[in-house]
């Protein structure tokens, strides 16, 4: 095992009706003036926003609302949120929704605690982040895992850059997870979420290390998500299916399934370039490139892909090369069965060779970085993978 520290301090409050205890948790973590951050309106339509705001106010807390976080949340919207939070004197940020609302809330918390700096200069690490405000979450979609992760992702729409930062200040104080709150999700979002949950573990599992306990946890999580992703899609009001997905969403991205390894995350980097440029849903951007990535890197360590095929997909083939190929085929077919794209040409249109080269150039940060650990990929490798996914 590689050396590691494990820090996952978020208090998880799981189950039907869990949001009723929100005021207690806000108080426990020092909140008195609460900025509630949400997205495009699903929490208004479901009545959740109104219910929670009334409960917070009844508990003696002062509340201000800030909606409008879009999927692939933008820096411009975050700047507006910081302005509102500073004006209001917020001492606690409560996110209601999924990764986009949570990441917006994280960025607002960081920006409000550091009003002398522009938030993008914190994102690019020009300005080190040394303080933030406490953040709480009421989760309404199982997907990004932001409710327990140390990361947050923003898009700077002026320069078409999607960037994440990892910091302990991104760990939220509490995450309220009521699977029933996901019943109103459109099927496309359930599919995107299922894909993203799998990818947080796949991007850790395919790394150069082999650690039995971590690998076995990862395989169990993947089997569970594959099974219940299909069930949740068939019946979005299946409580068990939505519960399994919700808990998997958190465990998949709180570090657990990669401990002792060297997380790869190449597929996420490949996907970010696509969703920044074409505003494609995050999960869909990952499904669109995974198959091409897997085919490209598989020869680096066929035995790893063969183990994955056998332990996750129940492939019985004894020859490693055939088992590995079968595991890749089954994974891509599964994404297809969810209605996810398995190449990006299908959802954003076939791109010219010039565009694909530019995507590779930008994904490699203008040729200044490589991505991945399972196989380290340079700009030329990235170009080959994008080209193979351009269908
Ligand atoms: O905006 P509203 O109206 O709430 O609608 C949302 C949105 O349209 C809708 N939705 C959410 N819960 C719902 C619902 N609709 C009906 N009923 C409900 N219960 O679903 C749509 C997607 O929401 P979003 O928050 O964008 O989804 P997700 O959780 O997939 O978050 C995606 C964002 O998270 C980032 C992604 O890059 C993307 O920007 N990620 C954040 C990570 C992190 N911080 O650790 C890790 C991930 O890898 C990812 O990069
Ligand atoms: Zn993701």
């Amino acid at each position: 095992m590689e050396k590691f520290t494990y820090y996952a301090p978020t208090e998880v409050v799981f189950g039907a009706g869990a949001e009723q205890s929100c005021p207690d948790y806000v108080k426990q973590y020092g909140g008195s003036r609460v900025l509630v951050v949400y997205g495009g309106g699903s929490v208004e339509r479901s009545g959740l926003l109104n219910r929670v705001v009334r409960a917070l106010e009844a508990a003696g807390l002062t509340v201000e609302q800030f909606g409008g976080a879009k999927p692939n949340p933008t820096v411009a919207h975050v700047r507006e949120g910081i302005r509102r939070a500073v004006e209001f004197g917020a001492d606690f940020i409560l996110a209601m929704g999924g990764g986009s609302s949570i990441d917006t809330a994280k960025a607002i918390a960081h920006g409000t605690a550091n009003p002398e700096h522009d938030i993008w200069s914190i994102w690019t690490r020009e300005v080190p982040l040394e303080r933030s405000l406490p953040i709480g979450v009421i989760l309404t979609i199982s997907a990004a895992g932001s409710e327990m992760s140390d990361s947050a992702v923003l898009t700077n729409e002026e320069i078409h850059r999607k960037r994440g930062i990892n910091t302990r200040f991104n760990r939220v104080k509490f995450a309220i997870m009521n699977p029933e709150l996901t019943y109103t999700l459109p099927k496309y979002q359930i599919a995107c979420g299922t894909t993203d949950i799998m990818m947080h573990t796949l991007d850790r599992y395919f790394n150069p290390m082999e650690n039995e306990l971590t690998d076995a946890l990862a395989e169990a999580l993947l089997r569970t998500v594959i099974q219940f992703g299909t069930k949740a899609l068939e019946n979005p009001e299946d409580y068990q299916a939505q519960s399994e997905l919700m808990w998997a969403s958190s465990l998949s991205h709180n570090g657990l399934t990669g401990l002792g390894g060297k997380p790869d995350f190449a597929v996420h980097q490949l996907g970010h370039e696509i969703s920044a440029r074409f505003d494609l849903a995050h999960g869909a951007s990952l499904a669109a490139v995974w198959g091409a990535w897997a085919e490209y890197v598989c020869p680096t360590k066929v035995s790893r892909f063969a183990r994955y095929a056998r332990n996750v997909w129940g492939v019985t083939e004894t020859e490693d090369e055939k088992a590995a190929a079968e595991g890749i085929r089954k994974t891509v077919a599964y994404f297809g069965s969810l209605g996810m794209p398995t190449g990006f040409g299908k959802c954003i249109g076939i791109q010219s060779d010039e565009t694909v080269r530019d995507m590779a150039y930008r994904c490699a940060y203008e040729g200044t970085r490589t991505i991945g650990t399972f196989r380290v990929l340079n700009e030329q490798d990235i170009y080959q993978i994008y080209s193979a996914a351009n269908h």
Side-chain angles (χ1 to χ4, degrees), residues 23-330:
D24 299 338
Y25 285 99
V26 172
K27 283 183 175 173
Q28 184 179 315
Y29 289 103
S32 63
R33 298 183 67 78
V34 186
L35 185 78
V36 177
V37 175
Y38 59 97
S42 71
V43 296
E44 289 172 298
R45 289 190 294 280
S46 68
L48 177 70
L49 178 67
N50 192 29
R51 223 160 8 101
V52 171
V53 167
R54 274 196 281 117
L56 292 170
E57 287 174 343
L61 300 161
T62 307
V63 180
E64 172 86 359
Q65 299 176 28
F66 182 65
K70 285 191 308 187
N72 302 317
T74 64
V75 175
H77 184 67
V78 164
R79 287 191 184 119
E80 170 62 14
I82 294 167
R83 198 185 58 70
R84 289 271 292 280
V86 170
E87 227 171 71
F88 168 62
D91 59 13
F92 194 95
I93 312 294
L94 178 67
M96 220 179 271
S100 300
S101 299
I102 302 170
D103 290 1
T104 300
K106 289 177 177 180
I108 291 174
H110 306 338
T112 307
N114 299 276
E116 67 281 20
H117 298 296
D118 179 61
I119 190 65
W120 193 247
S121 62
I122 293 175
W123 234 248
T124 55
R125 296 179 181 82
E126 235 169 274
V127 173
L129 183 63
E130 281 159 4
R131 58 182 175 273
S132 187
L133 292 187
I135 308 155
V137 166
I138 300 179
L139 190 65
T140 66
I141 172 172
S142 311
S146 183
E147 67 278 6
M148 282 187 88
S149 79
D150 72 346
S151 87
V153 187
L154 282 187
T155 297
N156 187 328
E157 62 280 35
E158 287 154 22
I159 52 172
H160 296 291
R161 291 282 192 284
K162 186 170 180 179
R163 293 277 188 276
I165 53 164
N166 296 74
T167 157
R168 60 169 43 217
F169 295 110
N170 279 335
R171 303 279 190 185
V172 309
K173 298 294 181 201
F174 65 83
I176 290 177
M177 302 187 206
N178 172 0
E180 290 177 352
L181 297 179
T182 64
Y183 288 177
T184 49
L185 275 169
K187 290 199 172 184
Y188 178 70
Q189 292 299 338
I190 296 176
C192 285
T194 299
T195 305
D196 194 21
I197 299 169
M198 285 176 68
M199 215 61 79
H200 292 147
T201 286
L202 289 170
D203 264 354
R204 289 179 164 90
Y205 182 85
F206 288 104
N207 82 91
M209 308 291 292
E210 305 213 6
N211 297 309
E212 190 49 42
L213 176 59
T214 297
D215 290 345
L217 286 169
E219 289 159 358
L221 188 142
L222 287 165
R223 286 194 301 270
T224 306
V225 175
I226 289 161
Q227 180 188 350
F228 289 104
T230 303
K231 288 200 164 164
L233 212 55
E234 282 164 7
N235 175 15
E237 298 196 12
D238 180 332
Y239 184 80
Q240 191 196 355
Q242 296 289 18
S243 304
E244 300 280 359
L245 287 183
M246 194 166 250
W247 188 219
S249 147
S250 303
L251 293 188
S252 197
H253 204 28
N254 76 356
L256 183 69
T257 58
L259 293 179
K262 292 181 181 168
D264 178 274
F265 275 92
V267 175
H268 265 76
Q269 301 309 323
L270 292 164
H272 282 344
E273 177 53 33
I274 299 174
S275 50
R277 187 182 280 243
F278 302 102
D279 200 19
L280 183 65
H282 173 63
S285 74
L286 304 173
V289 290
W290 191 86
W293 169 85
E295 298 276 359
Y296 194 80
V297 304
C298 180
T300 309
K301 198 173 181 186
V302 175
S303 61
R304 186 67 170 172
F305 275 87
R307 174 183 167 140
Y308 163 71
R310 292 181 186 120
N311 293 358
V312 174
W313 292 102
V315 170
T316 52
E317 178 60 57
T318 50
E319 211 180 299
D320 274 5
E321 281 201 6
K322 285 187 183 158
E326 185 61 3
I328 295 172
R329 195 193 61 73
K330 280 181 177 284

